[in-house]
Amino acid sequence: MTILKSLIATPLRAAFAGALAVSAPAVLMLGATAPAAAQQQGDLDRVVASLRGISTMKADFTQTDRRGQTVAGVMTLKRPGKIRFQYAKGVPLLLVSNGKSMTLVDYEVNQVQRWPIQNSPLGALLDPNRDVKRYGKLVPTGNADVIAVEVRDTKKPEFGVITLVFIRKAGAPGGLELANWVALDSQNHRTTVRLRNHRYGMAVAESAFSYKDPRRTSRRPG
């Protein structure tokens, strides 16, 4: 099996269809002392301010599935609720949200899968109605410059879990930069997405969150 075929095999597609997931960075340490309640509240407030402070953002990303297979590309985010994962040339997949639903387009087999953004762990990042403070809790990192928030709806475990990891950075919205996230879907499929080369505040056309439907054909009925 070629590397490309391996990357787009069933495990990767399953991770896509369930939701994107991320592994926490090495700085997350077991046994770290949990922050005091006041500090937790303050850091959660900062996370909310950071997410709400993003109007548009682009970043390069790498995505790793549970087998350690990695693909790369460019992520474009526009709040509220819009995101596009444009994969590198040779990977016939596209993941895009129009603000209401996530859509996975597989151009190799001409298939389209769609699900509401609130049903995905990525809803914590995209869904304006998902309250990070209500569903999130801080995860000890052992590093004062790193904040990790685990978001899950205990009443709806089928939505999965996402851990958002932020680095304190003065130039980022709210003083925090989203560095990576780890997501687990309802089948316990784990995906890791890491971001770099963040750019903020650029103009992003609405057309960036549309896609060419491979199921359509230009041929006229004969």
Side-chain angles (χ1 to χ4, degrees):
M1 179 181 290
T2 66
I3 294 176
L4 176 58
K5 290 293 185 181
S6 177
L7 284 174
I8 61 176
T10 300
L12 183 59
R13 284 198 174 94
F16 268 122
L20 292 175
V22 196
S23 60
V27 72
L28 298 184
M29 302 176 183
L30 295 177
T33 302
Q39 182 180 341
Q40 285 187 329
Q41 186 64 40
D43 283 342
L44 282 175
D45 288 339
R46 292 183 185 94
V47 167
V48 171
S50 174
L51 292 176
R52 290 179 177 174
I54 298 173
S55 57
T56 60
M57 181 180 81
K58 287 190 176 183
D60 301 331
F61 75 87
T62 57
Q63 175 183 320
T64 305
D65 72 0
R66 60 195 176 108
R67 291 187 172 184
Q69 300 165 335
T70 299
V71 291
V74 176
M75 183 195 79
T76 302
L77 174 68
K78 184 175 184 178
R79 290 181 61 84
K82 299 180 177 69
I83 199 166
R84 181 185 183 96
F85 290 88
Q86 183 67 56
Y87 291 87
K89 185 177 180 180
V91 180
L93 297 170
L94 173 67
L95 185 66
V96 62
S97 168
N98 61 4
K100 296 181 180 179
S101 61
M102 298 289 299
T103 301
L104 171 64
V105 186
D106 187 333
Y107 289 106
E108 184 179 56
V109 295
N110 295 335
Q111 290 183 352
V112 175
Q113 299 178 49
R114 187 179 293 108
W115 60 97
I117 59 173
Q118 68 265 25
N119 291 5
S120 160
L122 270 183
L125 179 61
L126 299 176
D127 184 2
N129 297 318
R130 184 76 68 88
D131 187 344
V132 172
K133 290 175 64 176
R134 178 181 177 187
Y135 297 109
K137 68 175 183 179
L138 293 184
V139 178
T141 68
N143 187 325
D145 290 328
V146 180
I147 298 175
V149 181
E150 179 186 276
V151 184
R152 70 170 76 209
D153 186 342
T154 56
K155 295 182 179 179
K156 297 178 180 179
E158 68 273 15
F159 289 0
V161 183
I162 188 169
T163 301
L164 304 170
V165 181
F166 298 83
I167 306 296
R168 298 186 194 275
K169 186 173 182 180
L176 295 177
E177 187 161 84
L178 179 61
N180 61 53
W181 65 82
V182 181
L184 291 174
D185 67 13
S186 57
Q187 284 75 48
N188 209 36
H189 293 139
R190 180 187 186 101
T191 308
T192 300
V193 174
R194 294 180 174 87
L195 305 178
R196 64 180 181 83
N197 193 22
H198 299 61
R199 291 89 77 193
Y200 300 100
M202 73 289 297
V204 178
E206 291 298 309
S207 59
F209 308 101
S210 61
Y211 61 92
K212 181 179 179 181
D213 194 331
R215 300 168 299 180
R216 296 174 181 172
T217 176
S218 60
R219 293 180 299 173
R220 297 180 179 178

